[in-house]
């Protein structure tokens, strides 16, 4: 089976020839292609070729096209630091929204793929180029999922997470108005992405976890906007996914708001006692996408530890389909490429159906 066929079978909660694997080999792709990190972040053609070459080298079954978390915020006007050898990030010394009264004056509507950010480019337009190249190079045989940062995360890039969290309590209405503007821009972005017929779109909703805010607060603040984005994405004829690597992720609140086809996670959900409990409670509703620890197993760990952890996760979660073997978050940008290849080796060794 091709990687795409394997993933499609898994989405139907059926057993393909083996468990699919997605290494989330995102920022690390720049090292395969031999480019600097700033080139990878700013040039969609370079990023597309990097993802394509990494897929050819590693042999995973699909890609989530995450470059970094500042794409949307940059185009809304956030000053962004493009580093030579590290992940692109907002300039924390120069936030777009420096005070609560600036939510209304600084967060302005944009036209996705046309509005240019402070660097003089539209990063959304560059990501559309990336998707186009990866779909053309790998889309017939591999699953390709576009990536968007949720509206609350995007706003955090412009304000700072700690200050935004406080503002959600003290200046709720101002935050909601800014999220409304951001959501319209993200939907416009999704429209452009979906013109290229990706196999899915994945939203990152990091704030929907116990380590950041309550389920009630998330449901009342980001939930309605996430629902709007999910409904629009599905109307474009593609699948909708959620990524949340927070501790105590709210599967229940997010499923109620968005009804994703799959959830990418790192830790046990808030309504479960264990990963085994998660499989029983959620395995028939969503595709489970996780949960190899990137730091412990893919950056610092040995190959033997990686293989043993993979065997354990596959045996625990793979039976009956509906499971994709993956890291709980992005593959470490400076992690060993051999560990990504080891994940593919692990599913070939332990992920063949029937799993015993």
């Amino acid at each position: 089976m091709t990687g795409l066929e394997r993933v499609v079978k898994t989405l139907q909660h059926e057993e393909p020839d083996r468990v699919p694997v997605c290494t989330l080999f995102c920022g690390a792709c720049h090292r395969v292609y031999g480019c600097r990190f700033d080139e990878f972040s700013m040039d969609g053609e370079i990023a597309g070729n990097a993802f394509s070459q990494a897929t050819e080298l590693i042999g995973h079954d699909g890609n989530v096209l995450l470059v970094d978390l500042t794409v949307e915020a940059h185009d809304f006007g956030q000053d962004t630091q493009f580093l030579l050898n590290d992940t692109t990030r907002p300039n924390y010394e120069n936030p777009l929204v420096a005070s609560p009264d600036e939510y209304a004056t600084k967060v302005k509507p944009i036209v996705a793929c046309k509005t240019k950010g402070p660097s003089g480019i539209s990063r959304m337009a560059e990501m559309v180029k990336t998707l186009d190249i990866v779909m053309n190079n790998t889309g017939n045989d591999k699953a390709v999922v576009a990536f968007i940062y949720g509206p609350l995360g995007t706003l955090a890039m412009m304000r700072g997470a700690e200050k935004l969290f406080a503002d959600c309590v003290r200046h709720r209405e101002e935050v909601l108005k800014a999220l409304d503007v951001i959501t319209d821009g993200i939907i416009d972005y999704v429209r452009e992405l979906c013109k290229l017929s990706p196999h899915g779109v994945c939203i990152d909703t990091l704030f929907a976890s116990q380590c950041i805010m309550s389920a009630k607060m998330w449901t009342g603040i980001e939930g309605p906007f996430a629902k709007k984005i999910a409904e629009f994405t599905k109307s474009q004829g593609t699948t909708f996914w959620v990524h949340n690597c927070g501790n105590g992720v709210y599967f229940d609140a997010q499923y109620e708001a968005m009804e994703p086809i799959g959830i990418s996670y790192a830790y046990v959900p808030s309504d479960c006692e264990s990963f085994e409990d998660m499989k029983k409670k959620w395995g028939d509703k969503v595709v489970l996408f996780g949960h190899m620890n990137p730091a412990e197993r893919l950056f610092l760990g040995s190959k033997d530890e990686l293989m043993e952890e993979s065997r354990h996760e596959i045996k625990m979660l793979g039976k009956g389909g509906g499971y994709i073997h993956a890291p709980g978050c992005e593959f470490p940008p400076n992690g060993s490429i051999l560990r990504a290849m080891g994940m593919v080796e692990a599913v070939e060794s332990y992920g063949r159906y029937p799993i015993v």
Side-chain angles (χ1 to χ4, degrees):
M1 300 182 75
T2 66
L4 179 57
E5 291 170 337
R6 209 168 276 128
V7 170
V8 169
K9 196 82 168 175
T10 299
L11 296 185
Q12 298 167 343
H13 292 266
E14 298 177 1
E15 295 183 348
D17 58 340
R18 65 159 172 79
V19 170
V21 58
C22 178
T23 64
L24 288 180
F25 201 78
C26 303
C29 291
H30 83 282
R31 293 189 293 122
V32 175
Y33 193 60
C35 61
R36 299 193 312 267
F37 218 121
D38 61 333
E39 295 172 325
F40 176 74
S41 294
M42 299 181 76
D43 190 313
E45 183 175 355
I46 288 176
N49 288 330
F51 273 105
S52 300
Q53 285 194 6
T55 301
E56 182 179 359
L57 174 66
I58 296 166
H60 42 223
D61 294 307
N63 282 299
V64 178
L65 300 186
L66 162 65
V67 172
D68 60 73
L69 297 178
T70 67
V71 171
E72 294 84 358
H74 170 274
D75 287 6
F76 275 101
Q78 174 58 46
D79 184 19
T80 303
Q81 295 178 323
F82 296 93
L83 307 176
L84 298 184
N85 294 302
D86 203 355
T87 307
T88 299
R89 63 195 182 199
N91 181 357
Y92 297 110
E93 301 299 319
N94 186 28
L96 181 69
V97 180
S99 61
D101 60 341
E102 290 188 342
Y103 284 115
T105 60
K106 293 293 186 69
V107 183
K108 296 295 187 180
I110 65 169
V111 179
C113 301
K114 293 184 179 179
T115 301
K116 296 179 180 180
S119 69
I121 64 171
S122 165
R123 296 203 63 205
M124 294 184 190
E126 295 303 318
M127 287 307 303
V128 170
K129 289 181 189 177
T130 298
L131 175 61
D132 191 23
I133 290 169
V134 177
M135 283 297 296
N136 281 322
N137 289 344
T138 74
N140 289 333
D141 300 316
K142 306 287 185 178
V144 181
V145 176
F147 180 91
I148 56 175
Y149 204 18
L152 201 55
T154 296
L155 190 55
M157 294 285 104
M158 309 178 203
R159 173 67 170 143
E162 185 176 348
K163 291 179 180 177
L164 175 59
F165 179 78
D167 291 342
C168 286
V169 177
R170 299 170 185 167
H171 303 279
R172 184 186 179 102
E173 291 306 313
E174 291 91 334
V175 170
L176 291 175
K177 289 177 182 178
L179 291 177
D180 193 35
V181 172
I182 292 169
T183 297
D184 286 345
I186 291 175
I187 286 175
D188 199 20
Y189 180 31
V190 171
R191 181 182 292 108
E192 296 303 313
L193 291 167
C194 286
K195 288 178 182 179
L196 299 173
S197 301
H199 304 121
V201 173
C202 180
I203 187 172
D204 186 328
T205 54
L206 180 61
F207 280 72
S209 55
Q210 289 177 328
C211 61
I212 300 183
M213 62 172 48
S214 70
K216 181 179 180 180
M217 180 179 284
W218 182 83
T219 298
I221 293 178
E222 187 174 41
F225 301 105
K227 179 181 178 67
K228 187 177 179 181
I229 293 169
E231 289 176 345
F232 178 79
T233 302
K234 294 173 192 176
S235 77
Q236 302 302 293
T238 192
T239 62
F240 188 78
W241 298 72
V242 165
H243 170 74
N244 190 312
C245 56
N247 199 348
V249 55
Y250 303 130
F251 271 35
D252 47 3
Q254 293 186 100
Y255 189 80
E256 182 178 353
M258 296 175 281
E259 293 189 15
I261 198 169
I263 299 179
S264 166
Y265 64 94
Y267 300 101
V268 175
S270 63
D271 62 340
C272 299
E273 296 295 327
S274 64
F275 287 123
E276 292 90 342
D277 187 29
M278 175 189 69
K279 178 69 173 180
K280 292 176 183 177
K281 184 173 288 189
W282 289 99
D284 293 333
K285 292 182 180 179
V286 297
V287 172
L288 301 171
F289 188 108
H291 56 264
M292 180 75 63
N293 187 296
E296 293 179 4
R297 295 289 177 262
L298 301 175
F299 188 67
L300 299 175
S302 67
K303 181 180 179 181
D304 287 345
E305 291 171 330
L306 168 67
M307 296 295 285
E308 176 56 26
E309 177 64 24
S310 294
R311 185 196 65 79
H312 174 69
E313 292 182 14
I314 290 167
K315 185 175 181 180
M316 178 172 55
L317 301 170
K319 293 179 181 178
Y323 167 67
I324 297 174
H325 189 49
C329 197
E330 178 186 6
F331 190 95
N334 294 315
S336 170
I337 296 171
L338 295 177
R339 295 295 173 265
M341 299 172 78
M343 291 189 70
V344 177
E345 182 180 342
V347 293
E348 291 287 354
S349 298
Y350 308 124
R352 292 283 171 182
Y353 286 103
I355 294 172
V356 294

